[in-house]
Amino acid sequence: MGIISSGFHGKRRTGNAAIPPGQHETGTFPVLTAGPAPYVARADWEFFITTEAGQRHAWSWDAFMALPQVDIRTDIHCVTSWSKLGTSWRGVSLDTLFEDVETASEFTTAHSYGGYTTNVPLRDLLGGKAWVAWEFDGEPLERAHGGPARLLVPHLYLWKSAKWINGIELMREDIPGFWESNGYHMHGDPWREERYS
Amino acid sequence: MSTLWRVAEVVSGVPESETSRTIGLRVDGLNGSLAGQHIDIRLTADDGYTAVRSYSVATAGMDEILEITVDELTDGEVSPYLVRDLMVGDQLEIRGPVGGWFVWRPTDTNTVQLIAGGSGIVPLMSMIRAHEASENPSPFRLLYSLKSPEAGFYREELLTLSRESPKLTVDYVYTRKVPPGWAGAPKRLTAETLLATVLPAEAGPDIFICGQTMFVETVAGWLVQAGYPATSIKTERFGGTGGLR
């Protein structure tokens, strides 16, 4: 047990098994971004996957929307210590997007419009664990939250769920992305409190 | 390592406004910090319940001492304790300082435009202080949007600096109440006021914006539309919500 703060009682809003250590629940949806939110029109949007062998798979917005769409209900956890429980999303599973992709890579870099990057191990993207989401709470994803579409990897801290997602690059090595180069953890599991490097 | 919790002793506590306080912490083994970084603070109740929150560092670079300024949030869990109950001599735990993005280093050579909404001034003040303490001659300009003069943090220090520092200019926008002798009525910050006040895009400033989410989104959006490169703008948002969710 740490240093006791005499007179501190807290609000006990946690005590919920769905909330990882060091997190507290929020009813709002805070926005955390390194810079201004980019504008990306659906007509200009594209999602790509490139392999280590140089093969490129790409979907326009229409092609992406023609893929099987799934509803996702999940908790999300931000490294700044808020968690939001029971959020509703709609999007395409990364399993669907990777169906025709041949790779031996274990690592990826997610690329966003605006230049943001984040590294995510491939095993954390496949197996029903990650989506490209374009709808939140039944509405098109707001630009501030990553619209037209963002990566959603809810079992990792939210900085891995790259907003304004543009594509996934398969990597031979685990290369730190934007926040990972700025002091954040290479993996980011909230249950292990993998916050900082 | 920044991931370890360390014991900090409270060495000072000075009110900044009716709802806020600057707290000085001595952290054994702290080897300075960068202007713009933040720390996590962990409070533990006597039954082991803990709460963790992040706070920007207000004064950086002073070896084993750092300062934070905490604004009390209505219905907050941690901030009322830090503003009202924590006493000099008390101990708490901190982690950090962390962050390598929303920071200013004395070796940075660009001119700098700082834009603060309310308590968003805190990390920007650490940049101003580090700049003043350095030999770095690049001009700094601060635009500080406030509800009222009383809500402002570091009032005397900013007043003195804006009078005496050859390398800092301070501009204010008052949204609800203006100080005595102020020309004009309170008004919200507009794109026109913003663009007329900040360093021009041609000067190539590095821009740091900190405040509530909607404030930061709005201001950053105006700057991008006016031709400031998005890559020159760094933002830090807190407290508010994006939309109504």
Side-chain angles (χ1 to χ4, degrees), chain A residues 124-166:
Chain A
D124 285 296
L125 292 179
L126 301 180
K129 290 188 217 160
W131 299 267
V132 172
W134 58 273
E135 195 177 276
F136 176 79
D137 249 3
E139 300 284 341
L141 192 58
E142 288 178 27
R143 189 170 65 93
H145 289 303
R150 73 181 297 170
L151 193 59
L152 180 65
V153 194
H155 71 287
L156 299 180
Y157 284 123
L158 217 48
W159 89 80
K160 298 287 185 181
S161 293
K163 297 177 181 178
W164 313 291
I165 188 74
N166 182 205

Side-chain angles (χ1 to χ4, degrees), chain A residues 97-113:
Chain A
L97 292 157
F98 269 89
E99 258 172 25
D100 298 324
V101 176
E102 287 189 24
T103 180
S105 294
E106 293 176 33
F107 307 106
T108 80
T109 294
H111 292 267
S112 295
Y113 289 96

